Amino acid sequence: MSQPALVLVTLLLLLAASPSAETQGERRKPRGSRSARAVDIPVVPVAAAAGDEAVGRCSYTFVVPSNAPPGPVCVRDGGTSSSSSSSSSSQPPAGNWSGGPCRSELGTLRDELRRHGRQITALQQLVEVDGSLVGEVKLLRKESHNTNARVTTLYAQLLHEMIRKRDGALDAAQLEARILNQTADTLRLLASYHELQRRFAALTAVVTNQTATISRLEELCRPRHAPPCVDGGTPLALPCPPAHPGGALPPLQPEPPAFAYKHSAHKISTNEILGEGGASRRAAERGAPPRVPPAQPQPRAAAPPSPPRPAPTPGRAAAATTAAATAVPAAGTGSTTPKPSGPWRDCLHALDEGQQTSGMYLLRPRGATRLAQAWCDQQQDPGGWTVIQRRHDGSVNFFRNWDAYKQGFGNIDGEHWLGLDSVHALTSAGDYKLLVVLEDWQGRRVFAEYGSVRVAGEAEGYRLRLGHFRGTAGDSLGWHNGRQFTTLDRDRDNFSGNCAHFQKGGWWYNACSHSNLNGVWYRGGNYRSKYQDGVYWAEFHGTSYSLRKVTMMIRPNPSMFH
């Protein structure tokens, strides 16, 4: 065999012996730790056969990958056997490992087991802690449920208490309303008593007047020279009066005065809203004599003796009696000219008949059977306005019931409400317009005028109907158009509660109001209250400003602008 062939066989034997060791190293070496190393293998040349030439020494360098294990090396038995044909290959050293794990691996496993045991112990402790926390959370939830149940019970008790207090407040308000109604009834009775006293005094004065007049008439009718009469025959000149003791004429029966007849015929209803001195002014406007208090009747002087007159005829005597009964001098004057006393259809009718002074007038609308007193404003341009509501000093309480607003209340010459029945009678007799005059506490005056106004009857709840608006105050009543009237004891508004209870008045409430002219009269303008219950017009200073003066008036409107 030649020398190169021998070297090649040796290399093959070395390479055949190295894979087992390298394989053991690869199992323990992590990925990426393989490196290459250079191995120098000397080659000794074999003696050449006889006759061959001597060959020189040569060496070869092989690059073999390094597979050194990272940890301890466990020597395994057996190794890789070489070929029987190789003569100079060395066997790997025999080891004492029989195929099981080595000590280093067992130590590593024990360390891992200990570490996992410690982790398991820590996890068990965490589980115990979590279990105690879960128990505490359950206790807290239970306490939370108990607390919620207690809060619910307390809330129900609080609602019950609030409802009880609200019921108590409603009872108090109803009691207050009853007291106010009783007070109003007492005041009406007192006013009626005073009115009866004034009428009695007036009748006493009239009787005194008529007695004196009758005395004068008897004096005038007494014959100065009795005409001769023939028994059973006809008188010579005048019929002879029947014989009476003393020759005096029988007393004449005075005819009732005109105003007394009207009182009995029409049964005047004053609506219990006469002011102090109102009856005297009303009597003066109708031409009645001034009324004298019953405590101090006015003494009447004896009539001066009249000159002798010829005996009057029966026609002249009757005319004199009628004139003496109807021609009563006006208060403060000596005139005997009778003055028209009405009643008038409305204030414009009175103005057309020459009544140009503002004051109380007796009205009977067309088609109405009852008489009513009202204040006529003849100065407000163009005159002829009938006042249906007036506020200016807070002297009258407007928190009244249904009957009070129906009949009317207050003082005609001061604060008053004319009455829904009277307003219905007036507005149903023809075409009327409404004027609302407002004044604030700085003296600024504005107005709101509606081209038509009509108030329905009680069967329809005194429903309000309005025409087009014009004015400087803003339209705060148009929101109430078409609504029925609401009071404390008649809830006809469009609100879940009673607007009259909250706003302390009677009005055509909707839900609830943009205007409340029958509310509480607060002094100074801006007011503080739990509810919006002042005398306000929302378009003029808002709902928290109580106006100083308010007047609502109606007037016939032949040329309506709507």
Side-chain angles (χ1 to χ4, degrees), residues 238-258:
L238 294 176
C240 295
H244 286 276
L249 291 175
L252 297 177
Q253 297 296 329
E255 296 180 4

Side-chain angles (χ1 to χ4, degrees), residues 40 52 114 116 161 181 243 318 387 414 423 452 490 542:
D40 294 334
D52 293 335
R114 292 190 192 97
H116 287 301
E161 187 68 19
N181 293 336
V387 177
V423 178
S452 66
R490 296 284 181 92

Side-chain angles (χ1 to χ4, degrees), residues 55-273:
V55 180
R57 297 185 63 172
C58 57
S59 63
Y60 296 90
T61 301
F62 298 92
V63 178
V64 181
S66 176
N67 291 325
V73 179
C74 293
V75 180
R76 299 177 184 274
D77 294 334
T80 304
S81 59
S82 60
S83 176
S84 59
S85 60
S86 60
S87 60
S88 61
S89 63
S90 61
Q91 299 292 334
N96 55 358
W97 187 56
S98 62
C102 60
R103 293 180 180 179
S104 61
E105 290 178 346
L106 292 175
T108 302
L109 291 174
R110 290 191 188 97
D111 293 338
E112 289 292 332
L113 289 175
R114 292 190 192 97
R115 185 169 62 81
H116 287 301
R118 289 192 297 271
Q119 291 178 355
I120 291 171
T121 303
L123 290 175
Q124 289 177 351
Q125 293 176 356
L126 290 175
V127 168
E128 293 175 357
V129 172
D130 291 338
S132 62
L133 290 176
V134 169
E136 292 178 359
V137 168
K138 290 181 178 180
L139 291 176
L140 289 175
R141 286 180 179 175
K142 187 175 180 180
E143 291 178 1
S144 176
H145 290 319
N146 295 336
T147 304
N148 290 337
R150 180 61 178 167
V151 168
T152 303
T153 304
L154 292 176
Y155 184 72
Q157 293 178 357
L158 179 61
L159 287 179
H160 180 72
E161 187 68 19
M162 291 174 63
I163 292 173
R164 188 179 63 82
K165 289 184 177 179
R166 181 180 179 183
D167 293 340
L170 290 176
D171 294 338
Q174 292 178 357
L175 181 60
E176 181 182 358
R178 291 176 184 173
I179 293 174
L180 290 174
N181 293 336
Q182 294 297 330
T183 304
D185 294 338
T186 304
L187 292 176
R188 283 198 292 268
L189 291 176
L190 184 61
S192 300
Y193 175 73
H194 290 319
E195 177 66 16
L196 290 175
Q197 282 187 335
R198 286 192 289 267
R199 291 182 182 180
F200 179 77
L203 290 176
T204 304
V206 170
V207 170
T208 305
N209 243 348
Q210 295 299 326
T211 303
T213 304
I214 291 170
S215 299
R216 290 199 302 271
L217 290 175
E218 287 179 347
E219 184 67 26
L220 292 174
C221 292
R222 184 177 292 117
R224 299 299 179 184
H225 304 281
C229 294
V230 179
D231 293 339
T234 58
L236 298 179
L238 294 176
C240 295
H244 286 276
L249 291 175
L252 297 177
Q253 297 296 329
E255 296 180 4
F259 70 91
Y261 172 76
K262 290 179 180 178
H263 268 275
S264 61
H266 300 290
K267 297 182 181 179
I268 298 173
S269 173
T270 62
N271 290 337
E272 303 300 337
I273 52 177

Side-chain angles (χ1 to χ4, degrees), residues 276-429:
E276 292 297 329
S280 299
R281 284 194 297 271
R282 184 188 66 184
E285 291 170 1
R286 291 200 309 266
R291 298 179 178 178
V292 183
Q296 296 179 353
Q298 294 289 340
R300 192 171 186 85
S306 57
R309 297 183 183 179
T313 62
R316 294 179 59 185
T321 303
T322 305
T326 57
V328 182
T333 65
S335 174
T336 59
T337 303
K339 182 180 180 181
S341 58
W344 319 103
R345 292 192 303 271
D346 50 38
C347 292
L348 181 60
H349 183 206
L351 181 64
D352 293 340
E353 294 294 332
Q355 305 293 329
Q356 300 180 356
T357 303
S358 298
M360 287 188 296
Y361 288 84
L362 193 65
L363 304 181
R364 184 174 62 188
R366 184 184 291 110
T369 57
R370 295 181 54 187
L371 298 177
Q373 278 185 317
W375 185 271
C376 293
D377 190 344
Q378 311 293 23
Q379 274 69 44
Q380 178 74 32
D381 187 42
W385 293 97
T386 304
V387 177
I388 64 174
Q389 187 256 28
R390 179 160 52 193
R391 307 289 300 274
H392 61 85
D393 58 4
S395 60
V396 175
N397 180 19
F398 275 68
F399 192 29
R400 304 293 185 100
N401 59 7
W402 180 266
D403 291 336
Y405 272 99
K406 175 183 176 181
Q407 299 296 333
F409 54 86
N411 301 317
I412 288 292
D413 53 353
E415 289 196 345
H416 70 279
W417 174 260
L418 183 59
L420 292 169
D421 278 346
S422 300
V423 178
H424 163 66
L426 285 168
T427 57
S428 299

Side-chain angles (χ1 to χ4, degrees), residues 14-29:
L14 289 174
L15 291 174
S18 62
S20 61
E22 291 176 357
T23 302
Q24 295 294 331
E26 284 179 357
R27 292 177 183 176
R28 295 178 176 85
K29 186 175 180 179

